[in-house]
Amino acid sequence: MTLSINKAVEAQQSTNPFLSEYHTPFQVPPFDKVKPEHFMPAFEQGMKEQQMKISSICTQASAPNFENTITALEESGDLLKNVSTVFFNLSSAHTNPEIEKISKEIAPRLSQHSDDIYLNAKLFERVKTVNEKQGGENLSSEQKRLLEKMYKAFIRSGANLNAAQQARMREINKELSVLTVRFGQNLLAETNNFELIVDNESQLSGLPASLKSTAAQSAKEAGQEGKWKFTLHNPSVMPFLQYADDRQLRERMYTAYINRCNYNDQYDNKEIIAQITTLRAEKADLLGYKSHADYVLEESMAKTPAQAYELLNGLWKAALPVAKMEALEMQKVMDKNGKGEQLEAWDWFYYADKVRKEKYNYNAEELKPYFKLENVRDGIFTVTEKLYGLTFSEIKNIPRYHEDVVAYEVKEADGAHVGIFYMDFFTRKSKRGGAWMTSYRKQAVKNGKRISPVVSIVCNYAKPAAGEPALLTPDEVETYFHEFGHALHGLLSNVKFETLSGTSVPRDFVELPSQIMEHWAFEPEVLKFYAKHYQTGEVIPNELIEKMKKASKFNQGFATVEYLAASLLDMRYHTIRSGTKVQATSFEKEQMNELGLIKQIAPRYRSTYFQHVFSGGYSAGYYSYIWSEVLDSDAFAAFKETGNLFDPATAKSFRKNILEKGGTEEPMNLYKSFRGREPDVKYLLENRGLDKAL
């Protein structure tokens, strides 16, 4: 019997790519060999191996010290990390029914596994002992930071709670793990299920030829040749709302978009929101916090909800009057039509475009021919080389999880290997909405050897028809630069411990490296690198650049208000006290009424599709984008003040003090090491054109 079991294990190891060392270029995941049936056995084996390692840490005879307890715990679970990174990245970027089924099954088991570690009394006692006696070990600053983070993780996971409280904590974590998966899966299904089929070309009046072409191709693929298909994916719905002359169709598209998962059907998320917020509040209460936001923000730069609210409310006061003035401008344009129509939310994008054209003679469609995807990519590569000396070489013979994915080796100026970088650009039904950066392997140092990172960025650009180029909107260009900044944070990490590596920093600091990259995107000097007409090769003319510059602060009242509305909604959901149960629709309405949000603007993310906070890890943290914008606006000013966008000394300092350091120090200390002082909010206000509104 033992022999047959051993043979079965050996057979599984020979066929399951996770259960042996990766024999791939740069030891990237063997995507070409991974099948859905490999995940559960690998998860189970990974959890088993980590528990065995934890057991050996707890039962060893040696007294607790940093090496035999903290380092040992840090380096446990390699197999589980490998399978988890691949699985959860695929569940976001290229899912299928089998992966979705596994997600529901594995979520509570991983939750239990995590609780078994952080609620392990013997393990906590060893960690606690090391923490109390750290002065006797002469630890480095990075070792101290890891110890502090690990000790806090045990406390914040309930290690100090009594047995009954810990039992309840386990139940809460298990329920939350399932609910957050369901929220995201509902949203993906709801987004994919909607389609607007147009069979009368006259109803497409106003739409750009590129959008019509994509819609025709989409309809053809859906068996509706000769018609046009529009969806709720951003590359379809957003330009439709901006350009479609047919007001009734705009209303239909907008209404479908903002009511996703709000139809009291199998994809409805309202009850899930009620359960998630109630459970989070109860968990915070168990741990001794007033609210979930208090619990989350303790580990952020903001530290408290009051600090986050101070920034958000101050900006709200500046932005709301500007948004109201913008609405009046658009109403005047509508009045010229003489139809007696009143501006509604589904009109905003359309009439904002009209006003922008009228005031600045600016049309974003004019710019798209200059933003061919490959040219934008080359422009980003050039910016990165000028700043940090990095080079990017495409690799063809490397495993990828989808045919659209491209891979690059990243090197230093001297040719030294930095890491592997994947890019996945185009929307598809198997991919959730939005854009994000992720890691398949984080940078670390083990046994004196640098472990190089493997990172990826995922976007949702419209895939062009065969033979056509992918042309980006200015917003999509900005998104590309943004996610590339996150990738640099992961690639240039230079720390010892994986837990502190790259983007392992507070939410309200992690957006600094991404958002500062956005500043280079439309600088005239940078545009000349990459903004070349895809047909003629003509460099973008100065006239267009000037139009972009003049229009850059247009509609910033709207942009700021819709973002702040979502941020404040997130904070209010997560400052409820334990025992409170919310009804999402009425709660959202009450909060927006209290803020004075005008009817023509909805929060950027309404409750039922607010994936960032209900399944994406940004709960009580959506404010972080604007918090980080204070930092990135101030940081970019440091480059501008030198008179050189690529000033070597400033770039070296930003790399050394921000990009390389990961979570090894307090974020504000890192920022002050770079800038010499704390950030000034004035640069954010100037960039958004809100400085005169205060």
Side-chain angles (χ1 to χ4, degrees):
M1 176 64 76
T2 302
L3 183 62
S4 64
I5 291 174
N6 287 340
K7 285 184 176 179
V9 171
E10 289 175 7
Q12 187 185 85
Q13 288 178 332
S14 68
T15 58
N16 191 321
F18 294 114
L19 301 183
S20 59
E21 186 177 347
Y22 293 165
H23 297 291
T24 55
F26 306 100
Q27 291 187 295
V28 301
F31 295 113
D32 54 332
K33 293 182 172 62
V34 172
K35 298 177 181 178
E37 59 262 31
H38 294 144
F39 287 117
M40 284 305 296
F43 270 124
E44 289 168 351
Q45 183 65 22
M47 289 187 283
K48 179 181 177 181
E49 288 184 8
Q50 188 169 31
Q51 278 296 354
M52 290 172 63
K53 181 67 175 179
I54 298 299
S55 179
S56 68
I57 294 172
C58 294
T59 57
Q60 63 184 300
S62 303
N65 61 38
F66 187 89
E67 193 64 28
N68 68 24
T69 300
I70 306 304
T71 300
L73 180 54
E74 165 75 0
E75 295 181 353
S76 69
D78 284 345
L79 171 56
L80 186 57
K81 290 174 188 174
N82 286 344
V83 64
S84 294
T85 55
V86 174
F87 179 79
F88 289 109
N89 282 319
L90 290 185
S91 71
S92 294
H94 192 39
T95 190
N96 58 46
E98 292 169 287
I99 287 177
E100 293 195 347
K101 182 180 178 182
I102 296 169
S103 293
K104 293 176 181 177
E105 184 179 349
I106 198 61
R109 295 183 63 178
L110 289 174
S111 174
Q112 179 181 329
H113 177 71
S114 178
D115 285 339
D116 287 344
I117 295 173
Y118 287 106
L119 299 180
N120 182 321
K122 289 183 179 179
L123 181 60
F124 175 56
E125 191 58 37
R126 291 186 69 89
V127 172
K128 184 178 179 183
T129 299
V130 178
N131 187 61
E132 290 172 347
K133 297 181 178 180
Q134 60 179 287
E137 289 203 61
N138 193 29
L139 301 179
S140 69
S141 60
E142 189 171 336
Q143 287 175 319
K144 289 179 181 178
R145 185 72 172 174
L146 177 64
L147 175 56
E148 175 191 15
K149 191 166 186 175
M150 201 169 280
Y151 177 70
K152 279 186 176 182
F154 277 87
I155 299 297
R156 289 167 58 80
S157 297
N160 275 335
L161 300 180
N162 62 39
Q165 291 171 322
Q166 287 190 358
R168 179 56 186 154
M169 181 70 72
R170 286 176 179 273
E171 292 174 8
I172 291 172
N173 289 340
K174 180 179 179 180
E175 291 181 57
L176 284 171
S177 71
V178 174
L179 288 167
T180 53
V181 168
R182 283 179 56 200
F183 186 100
Q185 290 184 353
N186 284 349
L187 178 56
L188 180 60
E190 182 90 311
T191 302
N192 283 336
N193 283 348
F194 175 88
E195 58 181 37
L196 173 66
I197 302 294
V198 177
D199 57 12
N200 184 346
E201 190 168 6
S202 67
Q203 291 181 292
L204 305 181
S205 173
L207 296 183
S210 58
L211 182 60
K212 290 166 65 175
S213 174
T214 302
Q217 178 69 21
S218 181
K220 182 179 179 181
E221 292 170 358
Q224 302 262 13
E225 189 166 4
K227 301 179 183 180
W228 296 266
K229 175 184 169 183
F230 301 92
T231 72
L232 297 183
H233 295 282
N234 273 6
S236 181
V237 64
M238 290 305 166
F240 190 94
L241 293 174
Q242 183 173 350
Y243 297 114
D245 292 330
D246 191 313
R247 193 178 190 226
Q248 287 186 328
L249 289 185
R250 290 203 311 272
E251 180 180 1
R252 183 176 168 188
M253 286 286 281
Y254 181 82
T255 302
Y257 183 80
I258 68 164
N259 282 300
R260 284 174 293 166
C261 301
N262 189 28
Y263 291 106
N264 301 313
D265 57 11
Q266 71 268 36
Y267 302 129
D268 193 278
N269 274 336
K270 293 192 290 294
E271 179 57 27
I272 292 177
I273 290 169
Q275 293 179 50
I276 288 175
T277 52
T278 298
L279 289 168
R280 285 174 174 171
E282 183 185 354
K283 179 177 177 178
D285 185 58
L286 271 176
L287 293 168
Y289 296 89
K290 291 180 181 178
S291 69
H292 178 71
D294 287 273
Y295 168 74
V296 169
L297 296 184
E298 180 184 63
E299 294 294 286
S300 70
M301 291 187 76
K303 300 300 182 188
T304 66
Q307 287 275 83
Y309 270 126
E310 183 179 357
L311 175 64
L312 294 175
N313 289 332
L315 293 172
W316 181 265
K317 291 177 182 177
L320 186 60
V322 177
K324 289 179 178 179
M325 290 173 60
E326 291 168 354
L328 289 174
E329 278 190 291
M330 284 180 264
Q331 185 62 57
K332 289 178 181 177
V333 174
M334 290 186 75
D335 290 343
K336 291 179 182 178
N337 294 333
K339 295 182 181 179
E341 295 171 337
Q342 294 299 305
L343 182 72
E344 299 289 351
W346 51 86
D347 297 315
W348 193 290
F349 297 95
Y350 180 76
Y351 281 100
D353 189 62
K354 299 287 186 189
V355 174
R356 184 188 288 110
K357 288 175 181 174
E358 185 178 291
K359 291 182 71 170
Y360 304 105
N361 192 27
Y362 174 86
N363 181 358
E365 283 296 305
E366 284 185 86
L367 295 165
K368 285 182 69 175
Y370 296 94
F371 293 149
K372 182 181 176 182
L373 175 60
E374 291 79 5
N375 290 347
V376 178
R377 175 203 62 200
D378 292 345
I380 293 176
F381 286 171
T382 300
V383 168
T384 307
E385 183 176 9
K386 283 179 169 290
L387 287 170
Y388 309 117
L390 302 181
T391 62
F392 298 79
S393 303
E394 186 173 359
I395 314 171
K396 298 285 189 179
N397 60 333
I398 195 168
R400 299 170 296 157
Y401 60 86
H402 190 275
E403 62 183 7
D404 288 342
V405 177
V406 290
Y408 290 82
E409 182 186 5
V410 186
K411 295 180 181 180
E412 297 281 10
D414 63 4
H417 176 73
V418 173
I420 298 299
F421 181 35
Y422 287 100
M423 291 187 283
D424 179 2
F425 293 117
F426 303 119
T427 188
R428 54 181 173 264
K429 285 193 171 185
S430 63
K431 183 192 291 187
R432 70 173 171 86
W436 62 94
M437 170 267 181
T438 189
S439 297
Y440 287 97
R441 183 174 67 228
K442 290 192 171 186
Q443 178 273 327
V445 175
K446 291 184 180 180
N447 301 319
K449 179 183 176 183
R450 178 180 183 268
I451 306 300
S452 62
V454 178
V455 307
S456 174
I457 62 172
V458 186
C459 300
N460 268 285
Y461 303 145
K463 191 171 184 177
E468 295 293 319
L471 303 178
L472 305 186
T473 67
D475 284 347
E476 289 171 334
V477 171
E478 191 171 78
T479 295
Y480 194 169
F481 272 80
H482 178 105
E483 299 306 333
F484 202 93
H486 279 310
L488 291 176
H489 201 184
L491 287 164
L492 294 179
S493 176
N494 186 24
V495 304
K496 177 174 174 56
F497 301 111
E498 184 178 321
T499 295
L500 304 176
S501 179
T503 56
S504 302
V505 299
R507 286 290 186 198
D508 49 10
F509 189 66
V510 78
E511 300 300 336
L512 165 59
S514 57
Q515 291 177 182
I516 193 173
M517 280 296 290
E518 296 175 23
H519 290 271
W520 275 278
F522 303 125
E523 284 288 328
E525 181 181 346
V526 176
L527 284 167
K528 297 292 185 179
F529 296 159
Y530 74 89
K532 300 174 184 178
H533 198 283
Y534 78 99
Q535 291 175 317
T536 66
E538 174 200 15
V539 175
I540 189 170
N542 292 329
E543 178 189 358
L544 269 183
I545 295 177
E546 189 60 26
K547 286 182 183 180
M548 286 179 66
K549 183 178 179 182
K550 287 181 178 178
S552 64
K553 296 176 184 178
F554 174 76
N555 209 35
Q556 280 300 309
F558 168 84
T560 307
V561 162
E562 67 151 9
Y563 164 77
L564 292 174
S567 300
L568 288 161
L569 181 61
D570 167 35
M571 289 298 296
R572 293 192 178 191
Y573 269 121
H574 292 111
T575 49
I576 64 171
R577 298 301 179 91
S578 181
T580 304
K581 184 171 183 178
V582 299
Q583 201 289 327
T585 306
S586 58
F587 183 84
E588 178 184 307
K589 184 177 181 180
E590 288 168 8
Q591 304 310 313
M592 296 303 101
N593 286 343
E594 185 179 317
L595 286 170
L597 180 65
I598 57 179
K599 69 172 185 174
Q600 297 92 344
I601 301 177
R604 180 176 295 176
Y605 297 100
R606 294 193 63 204
S607 303
T608 53
Y609 57 90
F610 204 165
Q611 187 160 0
H612 279 79
V613 304
F614 292 121
S615 68
Y618 272 76
S619 60
Y622 193 63
Y623 78 93
S624 60
Y625 290 94
I626 202 86
W627 185 282
S628 292
E629 192 175 337
V630 175
L631 302 174
D632 72 69
S633 299
D634 184 84
F636 189 67
F639 285 89
K640 297 282 280 188
E641 287 162 6
T642 69
N644 179 0
L645 292 176
F646 307 101
D647 178 64
T650 308
K652 181 179 179 180
S653 178
F654 190 80
R655 175 174 177 168
K656 177 183 177 183
N657 292 300
I658 306 295
L659 297 177
E660 292 186 359
K661 292 292 180 124
T664 57
E665 294 182 37
E666 280 291 328
M668 188 56 79
N669 291 340
L670 293 177
Y671 190 82
K672 289 194 289 188
S673 294
F674 162 67
R675 193 68 161 112
R677 57 167 176 75
E678 292 193 2
D680 192 329
V681 72
K682 73 177 183 179
Y683 297 103
L684 177 149
L685 295 171
E686 289 173 2
N687 289 342
R688 286 183 172 253
L690 302 176
D691 47 320
K692 296 179 177 61
L694 289 177

